[in-house]
């Protein structure tokens, strides 16, 4: 008897837990539900973007069934492989971004973005280069001088090897005339762990997304040397890398792709839905709240952008020596 | 008294019927996911994140805090009763807790876990109020060389749980270390031991290993014994903790809290290491009856680690609130929740949003009390789970283990890994290898490796960086002492010979 209660309670909770995640798609009529794959664990950037998009899509058309599901693993390439298997499915979107472009190269993924249909670029975030408040480096020029003297002595803390932060470090080294392979890059599972070493003044410099470090720059615990954007960012007193003398621009962007083999009608339908979502108040509010930069782009424009990014990332990943 | 006034305001804000309901939902859900192997508090909070679109922040955080504490507590229930920990942080609880259950002291083990969790959670939350700035500056002073020294200390301290046979203990530890190597090497981005499977690039999740070796291994082992002998009849025993139990529990609760809180605050600390250290400390400090009982179900071995894992949950909130630094998976998701409300945890949060922060801290006290109220009366009831016929019970465990692991990543490769590890766990039990060291190796091995390499990279290859920080030196000396002390003691008391204990399963 106790078993039955236990089982009932357990089943209920599982239903509750899974219900929140996947939603039950069978009820309700009309065309099939739009599914958005977040190729990462719940809680991260891609997941957050996907779930915000879900809310925004529902705000545009309350009757539309939208569900987000997670396929985590290997920088999103596990999700990418799954998406490739859904060829011709016009009701599926996958959130992705620069990190996936890097992971495809690094993991030598069999499936590439060529097997997807680019739909839209949504948001951008820039990288920031910081040093501990006690650091002798006052500018990018100081950092570069030390780099040229002995790259091994300049430890740079950031996110995963081959990720956006590492790519930024590599591009900076290259622009400064230092071999990217010589960069003494200390990889972490995320910006948070890297932050700890910076606050404790254990490393020479740190690179991560602006939002990861901005609070600490404002409180004076870290000093911003530069940002990777084309123009200076509002309310952040830091030059761009170009102003600081390194010809580097890097954007950590996020967007949507759909499975390959879509006909024009399906492609147009998805693009229209995403465009409407982007125009919604819910989306605009979320962009403002999360400190994202709106960089909406669709169609050929996005496809070209994606191609250019792949070329850029492929070159630098090879030079960093992180291809597995 | 300023923060005290703010805390009272926080209570005033949190103690509404609606919020109490959210607290109840939180701790109930948390306890359940803690009980279910594989599904942890991090995933539960993540899946509930969308409620931040509709629910006011205080209510949402009250619920999330309840899930977090509840999850830390709930994992102990199955550890104690069935030797199948629901979370890796309650793995150590199984060592003594399950032995206690087999001796008919399940209710006492559950009660000491529940009260210990409450005591630790309450003290640690109070420390969060008064000591957050001090703890946080200690935490960020920890560099890679200190973490490396810490891992070494943890390795030597837990050598006491290896087993009576050092070779078997080391063999098991070796399994763990090898499993820990699987996946992309963090420092260089190279794949290791992935057999060309993309799904293994992120490594094998510690949950999969813990559930596979413990839960599945145990189920298979029990199944294999069913035909050989009648299942041992487990007495349910008395329902409540006696006076001796209280006397033996309160010090381990406090010591466990002292281990757990600072470790939770350390960005690389986690909830597991303090449970290892707490267990090792209790075992070393045990005298008299307790010393005899260790390895056969000593209540200290449950009280200490259970207090430690709950205290670490509160400790995690220190760097999260004061620096915006998430130090555990659940904390990372709580950070995302803060951001959903347009809040950035960090140096300014306490000044800019005092109502929310103090409301959340008040909610931790409420959640903790709620947890005790919910679980203490249930302890004797849970203990009766042991009366369920074994085949049904273990079939259920296998089902939930598979479900939980599949829910983790939705990956079939994880399921295959789970069953392979289950077979390994069965074989280890069959041939008398202890299971715990494998999971310890899996947790500590990668940590020791990455921190060593980071320290050396930052020091440009100079080995002396490892002993340049005073913290590292102290930790390494402690590790040395932990190694040498038993040898020394053995030399001193040579004449006493160990009584020969009949061979039994060690797990």
């Amino acid at each position: 008897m106790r078993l039955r209660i236990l089982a009932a309670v357990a089943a209920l909770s599982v239903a509750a837990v899974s219900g929140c995640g996947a939603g039950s798609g069978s009820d309700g009529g009309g065309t099939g539900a739009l599914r958005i794959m977040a190729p990462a664990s719940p809680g991260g950037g891609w997941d957050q973007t996907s779930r915000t998009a879900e809310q925004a899509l529902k705000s545009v058309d309350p009757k539309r069934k939208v569900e987000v599901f997670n396929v985590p693993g290997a920088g999103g390439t596990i999700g990418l492989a799954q998406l490739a298997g859904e060829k011709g499915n016009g009701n599926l979107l996958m959130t992705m971004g620069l990190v996936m472009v890097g992971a495809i190269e690094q993991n030598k993924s069999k499936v590439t973005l060529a097997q997807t249909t680019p739909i839209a670029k949504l948001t951008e975030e820039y990288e920031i280069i910081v040093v501990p408040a006690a650091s002798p480096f006052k500018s990018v020029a100081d950092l570069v001088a030390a780099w040229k003297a002995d790259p091994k002595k300049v430890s740079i803390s950031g996110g995963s090897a081959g990720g956006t932060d590492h790519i930024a470090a590599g591009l900076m080294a290259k622009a400064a005339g230092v071999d990217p392979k010589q960069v003494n890059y200390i990889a972490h599972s995320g910006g948070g762990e890297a932050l700890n070493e910076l606050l404790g003044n254990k490393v020479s410099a740190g690179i991560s997304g602006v939002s990861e470090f901005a609070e600490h720059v404002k409180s004076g615990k870290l000093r911003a040397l530069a940002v990777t954007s084309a123009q200076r960012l509002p309310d952040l007193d830091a030059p761009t890398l170009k102003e600081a003398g390194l010809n580097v621009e890097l954007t950590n962007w996020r967007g949507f792709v759909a499975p390959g083999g879509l006909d024009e009608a399906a492609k147009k339908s998805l693009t229209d839905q995403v465009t409407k979502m982007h125009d919604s108040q819910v989306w605009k509010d979320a962009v403002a709240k999360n400190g994202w930069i709106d960089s909406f782009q669709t169609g050929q424009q996005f496809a070209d952008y994606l191609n250019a990014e792949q070329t850029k990332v492929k070159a630098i990943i090879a030079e960093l020596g992180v291809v597995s | 008294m300023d923060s005290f006034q703010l805390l009272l305001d926080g209570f005033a804000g949190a103690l509404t019927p609606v919020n109490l309901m959210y607290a109840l939902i939180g701790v109930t859900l948390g306890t359940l996911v803690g009980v279910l192997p594989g599904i942890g508090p991090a995933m539960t909070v993540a899946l509930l994140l969308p409620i931040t679109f509709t629910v006011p922040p205080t209510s949402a955080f009250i619920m999330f805090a309840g899930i977090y504490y509840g999850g830390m507590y709930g994992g102990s229930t199955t550890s104690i009763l069935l030797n199948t920990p629901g979370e890796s942080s309650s793995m150590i609880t199984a060592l003594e807790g399950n032995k206690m259950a087999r001796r008919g002291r399940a209710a006492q083990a559950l009660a000491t876990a529940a009260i210990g969790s409450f005591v630790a959670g309450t003290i640690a939350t109070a420390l969060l109020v008064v000591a957050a700035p001090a703890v946080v500056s200690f935490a960020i002073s920890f560099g890679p060389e200190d973490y490396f020294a810490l891992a070494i200390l943890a390795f030597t301290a837990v050598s006491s749980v290896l087993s009576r046979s050092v070779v078997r203990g080391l063999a098991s530890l070796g399994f763990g270390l090898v499993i820990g190597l699987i996946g992309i090497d963090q420092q260089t981005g190279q794949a290791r031991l992935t057999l060309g499977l993309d799904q293994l690039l992120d490594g094998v999740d510690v949950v999969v290993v813990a559930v596979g070796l413990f839960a599945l291994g145990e189920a298979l082992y029990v199944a294999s014994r069913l035909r050989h002998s009648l299942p041992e009849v487990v007495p349910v025993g008395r329902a409540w903790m006696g006076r001796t139990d209280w006397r033996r529990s309160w010090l381990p609760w406090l010591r466990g809290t002292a281990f757990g809180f600072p470790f939770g605050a350390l960005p690389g600390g986690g909830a597991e290491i303090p449970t290892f250290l707490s267990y090792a400390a209790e075992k070393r400090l045990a005298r008299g009856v307790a010393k005899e009982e260790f390895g056969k179900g000593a209540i200290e071995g449950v009280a200490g680690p259970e207090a430690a894992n709950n205290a670490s949950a509160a400790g995690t909130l220190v760097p999260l609130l004061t620096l915006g630094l998430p130090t555990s998976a659940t904390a990372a998701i709580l950070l995302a929740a803060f951001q959903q409300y347009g809040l950035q945890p960090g140096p300014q949060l306490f000044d800019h949003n005092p109502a929310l922060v103090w409301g959340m801290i008040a909610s931790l006290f409420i959640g903790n009390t709620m947890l005790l109220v919910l679980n203490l009366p249930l302890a004797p009831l849970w203990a009766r789970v042991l009366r369920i016929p074994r085949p049904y019970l273990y079939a259920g465990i296998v089902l939930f283990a598979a479900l939980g692991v599949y829910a983790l990543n939705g990956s079939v490769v994880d399921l295959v890994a789970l069953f392979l590890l289950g077979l390994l766990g069965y074989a280890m039990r069959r041939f008398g290898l202890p299971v715990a060291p494998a999971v310890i190796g899996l947790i500590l091995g990668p940590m020791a490796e990455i921190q060593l390499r980071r320290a050396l990279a930052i020091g440009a290859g100079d080995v002396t960086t490892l002993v340049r920080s005073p913290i590292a030196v102290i930790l390494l000396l402690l590790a040395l002492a932990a190694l040498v002390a038993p040898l020394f003691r053995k030399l001193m008391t040579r004449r006493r010979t160990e009584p020969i204990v009949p061979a039994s399963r060690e797990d």
Side-chain angles (χ1 to χ4, degrees), chain A residues 148-177:
Chain A
K148 283 192 163 161
D150 186 356
K152 284 276 160 252
K153 290 242 167 73
V154 180
S155 48
I156 298 180
S157 192
S160 60
T164 314
D165 310 342
H166 198 184
I167 290 174
L171 290 172
M172 283 172 64
K174 206 171 149 189

Side-chain angles (χ1 to χ4, degrees), chain A residues 218-242:
Chain A
K218 278 177 202 150
S219 74
K221 289 202 170 93
L222 299 177
R223 184 162 55 241
L225 295 188
V227 288
T228 63
S229 50
Q231 267 93 42
R232 282 187 180 226
L233 298 177
D235 55 73
L236 197 75
D237 182 24
T240 65
L241 274 175
K242 279 195 172 150

Side-chain angles (χ1 to χ4, degrees), chain B residues 76 82 113 158 170 199 298 322 325 390:
Chain B
S76 67
L82 308 169
V158 297
L170 286 177
Q199 286 85 349
T322 55
L325 201 74
R390 292 299 160 93

Side-chain angles (χ1 to χ4, degrees), chain A residues 6 9-10 42 48 72-74 78 106 161 184-189 192-193 195-197 200 202-203 215-216 289 323, chain B residues 32 46-47 53 140-141 143-144 184 186-191 198 202 267 323 325 340 344 348 382 400 409 454 457-458:
Chain A
L6 190 72
V9 168
Q48 210 183 350
I78 305 276
Q106 197 188 342
N184 187 4
Y185 185 77
I186 316 293
H188 297 81
S189 55
E193 243 190 297
L195 179 61
N196 184 57
E197 281 171 1
K202 308 279 180 199
V203 288
E215 280 288 300
H216 300 274
K289 203 170 66 181
V323 179
Chain B
L32 280 172
L47 292 174
F53 289 105
I140 59 171
S141 70
I184 288 183
Q186 213 183 14
Q187 194 60 32
T188 59
Q190 306 299 309
D198 287 350
D202 289 335
L323 293 177
L325 201 74
Q340 288 287 334
Q344 182 60 43
Q348 275 117 14
W382 277 117
F400 280 114
N409 289 325
R454 270 184 204 156
I458 292 172

Side-chain angles (χ1 to χ4, degrees), chain B residues 178-489:
Chain B
V178 171
I179 296 170
L181 284 178
I182 297 174
I184 288 183
D185 167 41
Q186 213 183 14
Q187 194 60 32
T188 59
Q190 306 299 309
R192 301 190 290 201
L193 305 181
T194 55
L195 312 173
L197 286 170
D198 287 350
Q199 286 85 349
L200 288 179
L201 284 173
D202 289 335
V204 182
D205 202 297
V206 67
V207 173
V208 177
V209 180
V211 171
L213 289 182
F214 270 97
L216 229 53
E218 178 77 10
L220 291 175
Y221 185 82
V222 170
S224 74
R225 299 283 108 175
L226 277 178
R227 287 197 317 169
H228 294 291
S229 61
L230 284 170
E232 44 187 317
V233 180
V234 179
V236 166
R238 281 190 319 132
W240 299 107
M241 282 170 69
R243 189 181 298 233
T244 349
D245 294 325
W246 281 94
R247 211 185 54 234
R248 289 175 57 184
S249 288
W250 71 274
L251 266 175
W253 290 336
L254 296 184
R255 282 193 289 260
T257 310
F259 279 115
F261 183 68
F263 271 93
L266 283 180
E272 291 94 1
I273 297 176
T275 64
F276 302 162
L277 291 178
S278 167
Y279 179 82
E282 295 311 329
K283 193 167 180 182
R284 287 266 152 82
L285 290 169
R287 297 281 173 274
V289 192
K291 197 179 174 73
E292 299 286 307
E293 274 190 2
F294 253 95
K296 291 168 227 145
I299 196 164
E300 289 86 351
V302 178
E306 272 306 305
N309 71 30
N310 261 55
S312 87
T316 304
L317 295 172
V318 174
L320 179 68
L321 294 176
T322 55
L323 293 177
L325 201 74
T327 59
S328 71
T330 313
I333 292 163
L334 286 178
L335 183 64
F338 272 106
Q339 283 159 348
Q340 288 287 334
Y341 287 114
L343 301 164
Q344 182 60 43
Q348 275 117 14
L349 184 69
F350 276 82
D351 295 336
H352 291 177
N353 299 85
L356 179 68
V357 176
W358 290 102
M360 182 182 170
I361 291 174
S363 73
L364 294 180
F365 284 111
I366 298 169
N368 224 339
T369 315
M370 195 78 92
L371 202 56
L372 185 72
V373 170
L374 182 74
N375 282 308
L376 205 50
L378 283 181
L381 290 182
W382 277 117
R384 288 198 212 163
V385 167
L386 294 175
R387 289 202 179 147
I388 299 172
R390 292 299 160 93
Y392 300 131
L393 190 58
Y394 284 93
I397 290 173
V398 173
L399 174 73
F400 280 114
L403 192 71
V405 164
Y406 185 70
L408 208 59
N409 289 325
S411 155
V412 180
V413 175
D414 278 354
L415 273 184
V416 174
L418 174 78
F419 285 112
L420 289 178
L421 286 162
L423 286 175
L424 180 66
Y426 164 74
M428 287 169 80
R429 281 170 168 77
R430 172 67 185 76
F431 298 109
L433 268 70
V435 176
V439 182
I440 292 170
L442 175 67
I443 291 168
L444 290 179
M447 169 176 165
E449 185 206 351
I450 190 74
Q451 300 290 3
L452 174 66
R453 289 167 64 192
R454 270 184 204 156
L456 290 176
I458 292 172
D462 183 357
V463 183
T464 58
T465 39
L466 296 181
V467 289
R468 212 168 279 165
S469 117
I471 303 177
V473 172
I474 294 170
L475 291 172
L476 287 173
L477 286 176
L478 281 174
L480 192 68
L483 264 188
V484 178
L487 290 175
F488 195 67
R489 213 175 295 141

Side-chain angles (χ1 to χ4, degrees), chain A residues 32-55:
Chain A
L34 178 66
R35 306 181 75 220
I36 303 176
M37 182 205 296
S41 305
W46 287 339
D47 181 63
Q48 210 183 350
T49 305
S50 310
R51 292 187 194 276
T52 308
E54 176 191 2
Q55 298 293 327

